[in-house]
Structures are given as C-alpha cells and as structure tokens.
Amino acid sequence: MSDKFDLSVSFSLFNDAVVLESMEKFVKIGIRDFANEELKRKLSKSVQNYFEMKGKRFDVASSCRFVPIDDEKLRHEISLRYAESCRVNERKNDASEAGMLLDTLLSEAGKKEASDIHIEEKCVRFRVAGRLEEICPLSPEKSRELVRRIKILSNLNVLESRRAQDGQFIFRGKDEVFVRVSCVPSVSGNGAGESVVLRLLNVSRVPLSLSELGFSESHCALLEKVLENEQGLVLICGATGSGKSTTAASLLTRLNELSCGKKKIITIEDPPEYLLDGMTQIHVDEQNGMSFSDALRFVFRQDPDVIFVGEIRDALAARTVLQASLTGHLVFATVHTGGIQETEVRMKELGVDFSEFSTVLKAMIFQRLMPDENGVHLEAQIVLPEQRGNE
C-alpha cells in the first residue's frame, strides 16, 4: 500500500467514514452521518497530525474535504479499498488512529451505557447489561497500538507486556468518565499478547430509585424494611455487570433520605462508581498505599453508623465486615457470586463463622439482568435470615 493517509477497516466500519482520495497534499473523506461535527473534528486532527509528521503544511480548507456518502457506496468503497489491508496490515499512521479509535469507543460505550470495554487481539467488545457484545474487529497489530495508547494515558509501562498492570485515566467526552484500566498477559495463536479491560464509571450519574432499577413493588417494600435496621449485614450478590454497585448506591441514597442525613455513611470502593451526596467515600488505591484492608481498619476511627464495602475480596475483608456488623454498625457489601447458595459457599471459603454470620445477616439480595423484547429487565431474589433454611 502506498504511503498515504488512510483509515483502517475497523475504524471505517465503526464510524461509517472512508477515505475516497488520498494525495500528497489533499485528503477527501466520505461520511455517512455528514452532520457529525465531532467525527469531522477528529478526522481533521488526524489528517493534520499525518501531514505534520511528514513535514508538510496543513490547511483544513485546502487539505481536508468531507463529502456525504450513502450506505451502499460506503460499503462498496470499504470493500474495494481495504480488502487486503483488513487481512494484512490495517494502517501505517497508527498512533493518530489509535487515539481516534479509543475516543470513538469510549463515546460509543457511553451511548450504549456499557460498563466495560474489552480490548482483545481480534476484536473490541462492550459489556452492556451484563452481556458481552462484539463491536468491531481488530487486527493483532491494531490491538497492540490501541493497548499502547491506553497505557500511555494511564501512565503504565508501554514496554511491559509480561506482567499485569493496573491504571486509570479520565475521559472527557459528553460526560466526564473515570476509566479504570486492567492489563494482563495472554497467550494466542500469534504468541504472547495482552487482554485489556476498561471499567467505565460516569461519576456524574445520579442513582435511580429502587423501583426505577426494576425491583418489584413487593421487593421495594421488603428493602424499605431492611433499611430500618440499625445494625447488621446486607449482602448484594451477582455476577459481573449485574448492577450490584448501582443497587448499593440506591439503597444508601434511600437510607440517607430516611435518616434525614443524620447517619454517618462511609463507602469503601475501588473506585467509587457514584458520587453520593452527604456521604464520605474512600477511594481504594493499592498503588498509593490505600488498600481495602487499610481503609477498613481506618474507617472505624471515623465514627460511622453505616459502612459500604465495594466488594468482599478476601478473608480479611470478610472478617472485618462481620466484626463491624457485630459491633453496632449497619454494613452493606457486594459479593461476586452466581446465586444465594453460592454466596454462602463463598463466605465459608473466606473463613466466616456461620453462627456469627447468621446472627448479623439481615438480607441477601441476588440480582441479574435478563434480556427481553424491550432490552433488559432485572431479576431479583431477596432472602431474609428466616428464609435461608428453605433455600
């Protein structure tokens, strides 16, 4: 392929834009959604970066032209111009495209209300309502460039691919989104690679009420009763992407309303998924010396009435949560499990004394998101202590 400005197959398909002409000092790009000014801005910036990298003068009016293109011609042009590049090497000016592709993925994830973005060797997938769906294909080369871009933004070691790394960055699009980054080495047909997952947290979101989340009228009434407890343990269980943290935020917000702000509520999260008015929120940050264990140890000096633990991860967290429930605090915690019985098994694995557990437990809430003709709906099960023997 000649050394000219181009867009990759994945970017063209994902954004409905294709390079129609690419000459020494001029690029013409067809866009299906011609009113998309944000896409035009990103493309202009990418063309500018390309020309500047080549030491050429760039002027938007004379060097970059956008034209409308219908869906049929768009697909035809993509298949003609990129059939080989899709299989071999998607593009040479990788750095600028990787930045554009990442911005587009983050923006699209926000529109789809995705909780996570999975960057894999051959594709990008979003987790929407608890389920993964493929968004666009990637070549191994493009996957590596995208991962490199993410590492740079997250202040991670771009040369390290043999060890796990965690980082974070802020994406400022329509809303400000906190992006938590997890990179782990993986093995594939092309040798060593990396799997990268971005957890997306829109901190400006406002927690919905329990009924708006999809809890039934009887469940809402039951949860209102649970919130009347002055002490004890409430466990919220479910799989990845099932909305456990969202339910916890709604419960805490409702509890704060019921107490008229007279209870000291402290949350310990990695990181906080909502900014909750009237509550003290602790951001766990292992790299800067604030672990879950440290936060749990220090939180008692803050004289809390209510404590929320983002996730019971280990035996120490389980013991501390149990101890807090036994000493006059109302404690909410999430547990990553597939059901009520699995939650009890998990707590036993973490060394919880079940006589004490039975004493403090006020409710176990299990939830999952299920697809239907309208999108998804919440399926929930709420078990009180007296019902556990019948499960």
Side-chain angles (χ1 to χ4, degrees):
M1 183 180 290
S2 61
D3 188 14
K4 296 178 180 179
F5 180 87
D6 264 325
L7 297 172
S8 70
V9 174
S10 58
F11 187 88
S12 292
L13 287 171
F14 193 69
N15 292 278
D16 289 334
V18 62
V19 175
L20 298 174
E21 292 182 36
S22 183
M23 297 182 288
E24 186 178 351
K25 295 183 179 180
F26 174 75
V27 175
K28 182 166 77 172
I29 302 175
I31 301 178
R32 190 171 67 82
D33 181 10
F34 196 68
N36 190 336
E37 296 300 325
E38 179 65 15
L39 177 58
K40 292 179 185 177
R41 183 189 66 78
K42 291 178 180 178
L43 288 168
S44 295
K45 183 65 175 177
S46 184
V47 174
Q48 178 183 1
N49 290 343
Y50 172 78
F51 280 145
E52 289 177 350
M53 183 178 66
K54 297 295 182 181
K56 301 174 183 177
R57 187 179 67 85
F58 175 80
D59 177 73
V60 175
S62 62
S63 301
C64 187
R65 181 185 172 197
F66 300 107
V67 296
I69 187 171
D70 61 36
D71 191 64
E72 183 178 353
K73 183 166 177 58
L74 174 74
R75 304 299 167 184
H76 177 69
E77 288 292 335
I78 290 175
S79 67
L80 282 180
R81 295 174 60 81
Y82 299 112
E84 287 303 314
S85 65
C86 183
R87 293 192 295 268
V88 184
N89 191 353
E90 291 193 87
R91 193 176 154 210
K92 292 186 178 180
N93 49 328
D94 292 316
S96 59
E97 186 203 334
M100 282 198 305
L101 180 56
L102 179 59
D103 285 354
T104 303
L105 288 171
L106 289 166
S107 297
E108 191 66 19
K111 294 176 186 176
K112 288 179 172 286
E113 299 185 348
S115 61
D116 304 84
I117 299 175
H118 291 242
I119 313 295
E120 299 168 352
E121 186 186 40
K122 295 182 179 180
C123 68
V124 175
R125 297 194 288 173
F126 288 175
R127 187 176 293 280
V128 180
R131 293 175 177 267
L132 283 174
E133 58 181 63
E134 185 171 329
I135 297 301
C136 69
L138 287 179
S139 69
E141 293 84 2
K142 193 52 59 188
S143 177
R144 285 194 290 271
E145 286 301 324
L146 190 54
V147 169
R148 178 183 173 85
R149 176 63 179 165
I150 291 167
K151 286 183 176 181
I152 289 172
L153 289 174
S154 308
N155 293 317
L156 301 179
N157 185 350
V158 296
L159 301 178
E160 178 59 75
S161 61
R162 295 172 296 176
R163 293 189 301 175
Q165 298 187 77
D166 291 328
Q168 61 193 46
F169 65 91
I170 299 293
F171 172 68
R172 293 178 173 86
K174 182 180 178 182
D175 297 305
E176 187 170 272
V177 178
F178 181 93
V179 183
R180 186 175 66 197
V181 179
S182 172
C183 306
V184 298
S186 63
V187 178
S188 69
N190 293 298
E194 284 184 277
S195 171
V196 176
V197 176
L198 311 182
R199 169 57 63 91
L200 311 178
L201 306 172
N202 184 345
V203 295
S204 64
R205 293 178 302 168
V206 177
L208 299 173
S209 68
L210 294 169
S211 59
E212 288 174 317
L213 289 180
F215 285 98
S216 67
E217 187 174 332
S218 60
H219 278 161
C220 288
L222 194 56
L223 290 171
E224 291 278 337
K225 282 288 186 181
V226 170
L227 293 178
E228 294 175 2
N229 288 288
E230 293 294 324
Q231 65 182 62
L233 176 63
V234 178
L235 292 179
I236 306 166
C237 327
T240 298
S242 60
K244 299 185 296 295
S245 296
T246 298
T247 294
S250 297
L251 287 169
L252 293 173
T253 299
R254 180 57 179 155
L255 181 60
N256 196 44
E257 292 172 354
L258 292 171
S259 70
C260 299
K262 294 182 180 180
K263 289 184 182 290
K264 176 77 170 185
I265 302 175
I266 300 180
T267 76
I268 303 170
E269 301 169 82
D270 179 24
E273 297 203 15
Y274 293 86
L275 294 182
L276 303 174
D277 289 338
M279 306 180 203
T280 300
Q281 295 180 266
I282 299 173
H283 178 189
V284 172
D285 188 346
E286 300 275 356
Q287 293 183 341
N288 291 318
M290 177 59 79
S291 66
F292 260 103
S293 300
D294 292 330
L296 281 167
R297 187 169 67 253
F298 294 135
V299 76
F300 296 107
R301 301 175 188 174
Q302 294 289 309
D303 189 29
D305 298 296
V306 180
I307 301 170
F308 169 59
V309 177
E311 184 181 348
I312 297 178
R313 300 183 174 190
D314 53 32
L316 178 58
R319 288 197 302 271
T320 307
V321 162
L322 190 62
Q323 188 62 34
S325 305
L326 287 164
T327 53
H329 303 90
L330 181 58
V331 180
F332 296 82
T334 66
V335 187
H336 187 110
T337 59
I340 294 293
Q341 292 182 337
E342 289 89 336
T343 301
E344 295 196 359
V345 171
R346 177 62 178 152
M347 298 302 285
K348 287 179 180 178
E349 289 175 346
L350 294 174
V352 168
D353 183 322
F354 254 65
S355 63
E356 294 180 343
F357 181 70
S358 299
T359 300
V360 300
L361 185 67
K362 299 304 178 184
M364 281 197 286
I365 304 164
F366 172 72
Q367 62 184 62
R368 59 184 174 184
L369 298 175
M370 300 297 292
D372 59 24
E373 63 275 8
N374 299 316
V376 294
H377 70 275
L378 179 74
E379 282 191 358
Q381 181 183 9
I382 302 175
V383 177
L384 303 182
E386 59 269 21
Q387 297 174 316
R388 284 175 54 226
N390 299 321
E391 288 299 314

